């Protein structure tokens, strides 16, 4: 008898919503500009910087590669990042950050079927709340059981700590859940925790290495607009629902 799926765990940035270009990147640049700093991140720069998880680490890493720019103290970077988080929240509230196809539908279906839904992210919890509010309104806590965010673990993805933390909170094993990610660091984090992982690629991550993923798609699909399946090979386009997920799990066992 195949083990049945008990919970879905979602990454936030790039997976639940298209947060990067019109959200985080915009907010970083706005914060730099407000602070009078002499640099702007373009999309090519940001694509490379996405490999560094966590906003403060991302700013420090960028400055370490640019000795021509003035160096900033830890405190200054922390302040910049705080302001960036506020700007991001405002950006979400003003409707500039869109949820990806199929994400809200799948969360609703999973909850109706009695599964748990959790979040495993390296982003700040305030960003997550803003996004959940934008999708589900004040009712969002009835759709999301658990949020694992930046403050819960020391090491960010690709370290598996945040996935271990979520599993531990629920008392579940890695075979009880499926993770949803959009990037190679996210996939590495989930796979190091032994969690089967579905990848929904996006414009920032389509060239990442997704070896070891349970499935790779362009999104989760909606009725009338199914997703393109790259892995498993030979599958038609699908609208990802709990039955599809269970079939993929059983095929891999
Ligand atoms: Mg992501």
């Amino acid at each position: 008898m195949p083990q049945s799926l008990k919970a879905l765990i979602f990454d936030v940035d790039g997976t639940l919503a298209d947060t990067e270009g019109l959200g985080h990147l915009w907010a970083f640049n706005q914060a730099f500009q407000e602070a009078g700093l002499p640099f702007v991140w373009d999309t090519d720069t940001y694509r490379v910087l996405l490999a560094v998880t966590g906003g403060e680490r991302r700013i420090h890493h960028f400055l370490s590669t640019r000795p021509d720019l003035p160096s900033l103290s830890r405190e200054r970077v922390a302040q910049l990042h705080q302001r960036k988080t506020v700007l991001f929240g405002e950006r979400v509230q003003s409707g500039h950050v869109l949820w990806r196809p199929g994400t809200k539908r799948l969360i609703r279906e999973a909850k109706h079927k009695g599964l748990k839904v959790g979040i495993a992210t390296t982003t700040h919890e305030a960003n997550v709340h803003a996004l959940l509010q934008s999708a589900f309104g004040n009712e969002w806590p009835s759709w999301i059981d658990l949020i694992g965010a930046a403050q819960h673990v020391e090491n960010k993805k690709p370290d598996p700590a945040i996935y271990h933390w979520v599993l531990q909170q629920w008392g579940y094993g890695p075979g009880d859940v499926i993770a949803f990610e959009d990037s190679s660091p996210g996939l590495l984090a989930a796979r190091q925790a032994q969690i089967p992982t579905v990848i929904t690629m996006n414009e920032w991550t389509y060239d990442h290495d997704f070896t070891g993923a349970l499935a790779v798609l362009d999104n989760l699909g909606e009725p009338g607009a199914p997703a393109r399946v790259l892995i498993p090979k030979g599958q038609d386009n699908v609208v990802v629902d709990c039955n599809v997920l269970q079939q993929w799990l059983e095929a891999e066992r």
Side-chain angles (χ1 to χ4, degrees):
M1 182 71 185
Q3 202 177 351
S4 69
L5 187 58
K6 291 183 181 154
L8 308 183
I9 306 176
F10 290 88
D11 168 53
V12 173
D13 291 310
T15 300
L16 282 185
D18 282 318
T19 51
E20 299 298 358
L22 294 175
H24 291 295
L25 176 57
W26 178 88
F28 276 116
N29 280 329
Q30 190 70 20
F32 299 155
Q33 192 193 354
E34 283 183 14
L37 294 168
F39 50 84
V40 176
W41 288 351
D42 60 22
T43 52
D44 287 340
T45 305
Y46 193 65
R47 190 184 303 280
V48 175
L49 287 173
L50 278 175
V52 183
T53 49
E56 283 180 59
R57 287 178 69 221
R58 198 167 285 163
I59 298 169
H60 281 297
H61 175 83
F62 169 72
L63 291 170
S64 76
T65 65
R66 290 289 303 272
D68 57 309
L69 294 172
S71 61
L72 300 177
S73 66
R74 294 226 150 250
E75 294 70 33
R76 188 86 196 283
V77 169
Q79 279 168 7
L80 259 181
H81 187 247
Q82 260 174 24
R83 179 62 187 148
K84 181 256 156 187
T85 300
V86 170
L87 289 164
F88 177 82
E90 290 173 4
R91 193 73 171 163
V92 170
Q93 278 161 21
S94 63
H96 284 88
V97 174
L98 300 178
W99 277 56
R100 295 196 63 191
T103 46
K104 280 187 276 185
R105 173 189 53 74
L106 181 59
I107 288 172
R108 289 204 175 94
E109 188 212 346
K111 290 295 293 176
H112 283 133
K113 292 202 161 153
L115 275 70
K116 286 191 191 298
V117 175
I119 300 282
T121 179
T122 52
T123 199
H124 201 284
E125 194 164 5
N127 294 338
V128 183
H129 288 175
L131 266 173
L132 294 174
Q133 175 87 26
S134 79
F136 297 108
N138 291 331
E139 302 299 304
W140 72 259
S142 61
W143 297 103
I144 306 293
D145 298 282
L146 180 64
I147 298 175
Q151 72 267 33
H152 295 117
V153 293
E154 186 109 348
N155 296 327
K156 298 186 183 301
K157 298 174 187 176
D159 191 284
I162 193 64
Y163 278 106
H164 287 145
W165 185 87
V166 169
L167 289 178
Q168 196 178 25
Q169 296 298 306
W170 280 335
Y172 287 172
D176 297 327
V177 306
I178 285 185
F180 295 82
E181 285 280 358
D182 69 306
S183 72
S184 155
L187 174 63
L188 280 169
R191 290 304 297 152
Q192 288 187 84
Q194 316 295 328
I195 298 173
T197 307
V198 171
I199 296 290
T200 50
M201 305 178 299
N202 58 45
E203 60 174 316
W204 302 95
T205 65
Y206 61 86
D207 57 348
H208 286 197
D209 180 3
F210 295 127
T211 306
L214 180 69
V216 179
L217 309 100
D218 54 359
N219 57 63
L220 295 175
E222 292 283 18
R228 197 162 54 98
V229 185
L230 287 93
I231 294 171
K233 300 266 183 232
Q235 287 228 340
D236 290 333
N237 294 350
V238 296
V239 176
V240 177
D241 59 17
C242 292
N243 287 333
V244 169
L245 294 172
Q246 188 74 46
Q247 282 165 20
W248 283 341
L249 275 182
E250 283 163 25
E252 198 171 73
R253 279 182 185 129

